[in-house]
Amino acid sequence: MNPSARHGACGATGVDAKYRLSTGFPWGTLTANAASCPVLGFVAQGVTDGSLGHQQYLWPATGFCGALSAWSTFSCELLTMTSARRTAVAGRYLLTTLAVGLVGAFAGASVANTVF
């Protein structure tokens, strides 16, 4: 498959997954972001230790995860919550998203270390 077509296919898969996860507010965004972090951690670790090449990183990272993750939506949701003076909810959402994302990324990197 042509590299651009493969990248597009990964992006289309990520967008479809994000659409299917958008069942609630803000759980759809949190779930989409949380799902992309282990994949990003895995491929980033694979590139860092030399087990994966640059092209093998681009397709899942910028294609699938770039289309799946919703960091701009996350930012807008935080702004909306804060503007509506729902600061406690916004704070919990912020901390939960960061914690889940970091744990996911480190878990993905740990799996990569085991696999590679």
Side-chain angles (χ1 to χ4, degrees):
M1 178 185 281
N2 158 326
S4 294
R6 185 173 296 152
H7 197 165
C10 287
T13 304
V15 167
D16 182 60
K18 181 169 41 178
Y19 172 77
R20 293 175 189 275
L21 291 170
S22 297
T23 58
F25 175 80
W27 297 108
T29 305
L30 177 63
T31 303
N33 288 338
S36 66
C37 288
V39 176
L40 284 170
F42 181 87
V43 295
Q45 184 62 39
V47 169
T48 300
D49 70 16
S51 299
L52 296 176
H54 185 68
Q55 288 296 321
Q56 292 169 310
Y57 173 79
L58 284 178
W59 297 321
T62 62
F64 178 76
C65 292
L68 172 62
S69 66
W71 291 98
S72 58
T73 303
F74 164 71
S75 299
C76 184
E77 289 168 350
L78 279 175
L79 177 64
T80 302
M81 288 177 197
T82 305
S83 295
R85 306 214 188 286
R86 297 177 59 212
T87 54
V89 174
R92 282 193 302 271
Y93 183 40
L94 171 66
L95 294 175
T96 301
T97 299
L98 291 175
V100 168
L102 288 171
V103 167
F106 281 104
S110 178
V111 171
N113 281 331
T114 303
V115 171
F116 300 125

